[in-house]
Amino acid sequence: MAGVTLKTVAKAVGVSPSTVSNAYNKPDQLSTALRERILATAQELGYAGPDASARALRSGKAGAVGVLFTDKLAYAFSDPYAVGFLAGLAEVAEEFSTSLLLMPLSSTDIAGGSNAVQQAAIDAAAIFCVPGGHPALEILANRGIPAVSTDRGDHPDLSWVAIDEVEAAAQLGEHLARLGHRDVVVLVDNAQAAGGRPVELTLDEVGYTDCELRIRGLQKAMPDARLRIVSGGHNAFASGLRGAEYVLDSQDRPTAIVGLSDVQALGALEAMKVRGLVPGRDLSLAGFDDIPAAAAAGLTTVRQPIKDKGRAVGRILLDPATTERQQLMPTQLIVRSSSGPAPRH
């Protein structure tokens, strides 16, 4: 039937339009029998329910939280850290009947990503792995969209859920220093090497705040060590493999490799196995995050509460009862078989 509206259904059932609206939007306010009668009548008349865009305009709410990250969309479904974080965030979003809008920001098409953020129909944003200074962050602020970052900010008005990156990495650095390591390569996530050969970087070229802070933590704990920064591309097993191949095939091989994520460290582990190197004996290897695969691989790593991070971000964004806008999460050094005494040359 053409032109069927909410009012049409209300007249047919003999109730007010607001009652029909409640059948869709606030079902707990109606008896089960009345709601079923309204929905059955709506189906008979060919009424599909309230228009979502019109409802959003009236309420001023989009019913969605944007999740911003600088990588391909597939990263959100393939990277174990991202999967864990999003699972925690989704738990809270579901509790508040809110959707998640994944918003990958290209590292090359900055304008395109910024335009997408400008037009996005979102009520709030989770800033997940976005370099500081990215134009999208300023756009969110100008639009007045509440945002919570996974990077620790210094300004008292910023909202964040983070770990003490420096101290967490310093724990790992102290462990390696006690084992006698003085020559360490750090594998980082960086766009410069994406799709090409690995590159060596300075600290200023790293780009991501969490990576920079982790390197500073290693430097703090290992002031006498030589730390070299290498990237095989974006954060992935393959980039860790490429970066480690570059390092292990050079004449200047370190005594330890630290992946600033477990997935990169696991890629480095594969490169070591191909070359017949035993982790913890021939060369030490460590990661960061303690994803599920780390334990099975015997990987020394820094554990952080990945899923709890996502939940906490969701609570700050959606739960009015959550008043703590800056939350520092705990970390723990997990020592396994992949780290051992530095070999004597």
Side-chain angles (χ1 to χ4, degrees):
M1 183 185 296
V4 177
T5 66
L6 184 144
K7 290 182 178 180
T8 308
V9 177
K11 185 176 181 180
V13 179
V15 296
S16 68
S18 62
T19 300
V20 175
S21 177
N22 286 342
Y24 290 93
N25 302 316
K26 299 177 182 179
D28 56 307
Q29 296 191 8
L30 304 180
S31 68
T32 301
L34 177 57
R35 182 170 187 264
E36 289 179 352
R37 184 155 62 93
I38 291 172
L39 296 180
T41 302
Q43 186 175 10
E44 290 174 8
L45 295 174
Y47 178 65
D51 181 76
S53 59
R55 184 168 64 246
L57 286 172
R58 288 193 300 271
S59 66
K61 296 290 184 181
V65 168
V67 183
L68 279 63
F69 55 97
T70 47
D71 212 318
K72 295 181 179 179
L73 184 60
Y75 170 78
F77 303 96
S78 60
D79 179 76
Y81 178 86
V83 169
F85 175 85
L86 289 172
L89 178 59
E91 282 184 12
V92 179
E94 186 175 26
E95 181 182 338
F96 289 89
S97 302
T98 299
S99 301
L100 297 182
L101 176 62
L102 301 182
M103 304 183 66
L105 304 175
S106 170
S107 58
T108 54
D109 184 12
I110 303 297
S114 300
N115 187 54
V117 173
Q118 181 68 57
Q119 298 182 12
I122 55 176
D123 303 315
I127 311 301
F128 177 68
C129 300
V130 178
H134 194 287
L137 304 182
E138 184 177 355
I139 291 171
L140 288 175
N142 290 340
R143 289 186 61 189
I145 293 177
V148 177
S149 175
T150 54
D151 286 330
R152 187 178 179 183
D154 296 328
H155 197 282
D157 292 337
L158 295 176
S159 297
W160 49 261
V161 177
I163 62 172
D164 190 328
E165 305 279 6
V166 173
E167 289 307 313
Q171 293 178 44
L172 177 56
E174 289 166 2
H175 169 68
L176 294 175
R178 284 194 296 269
L179 292 171
H181 292 281
R182 299 292 182 271
D183 194 346
V184 179
V185 163
V186 183
L187 299 178
V188 303
D189 172 9
N190 190 272
Q192 288 190 39
R197 63 184 307 249
V199 296
E200 296 199 31
L201 304 168
T202 66
L203 184 58
D204 292 337
E205 294 173 320
V206 170
Y208 289 97
T209 302
D210 57 347
C211 290
E212 292 177 8
L213 294 176
R214 290 173 192 179
I215 294 170
R216 292 190 187 281
L218 292 171
Q219 291 174 330
K220 175 183 175 182
M222 310 178 74
D224 299 326
R226 180 176 69 144
L227 295 180
R228 288 177 286 160
I229 305 169
V230 173
S231 177
H234 285 301
N235 185 46
F237 180 94
S239 64
L241 174 64
R242 285 195 299 268
E245 287 174 338
Y246 169 81
V247 170
L248 297 175
D249 292 341
S250 71
Q251 294 182 340
D252 194 12
R253 181 182 290 177
T255 64
I257 294 176
V258 175
L260 292 191
S261 70
D262 284 345
V263 292
Q264 294 211 64
L266 293 172
L269 179 62
E270 180 64 22
M272 291 179 63
K273 287 181 178 178
V274 169
R275 289 156 179 77
L277 299 172
V278 178
R281 186 192 71 185
D282 301 318
L283 185 145
S284 285
L285 178 66
F288 209 103
D289 294 332
D290 198 28
I291 62 175
L299 182 65
T300 291
T301 187
V302 175
R303 175 180 295 164
Q304 62 168 314
I306 302 170
K307 198 169 184 179
D308 286 345
K309 245 185 176 181
R311 291 190 188 101
V313 168
R315 289 285 169 200
I316 294 175
L317 289 173
L318 299 171
D319 190 350
T322 301
T323 57
E324 189 178 358
R325 317 299 297 180
Q326 298 179 343
Q327 300 182 27
L328 197 63
M329 310 293 275
T331 60
Q332 181 184 3
L333 175 65
I334 306 297
V335 177
R336 299 190 178 106
S337 60
S338 71
S339 59
R344 296 180 180 180
H345 296 295

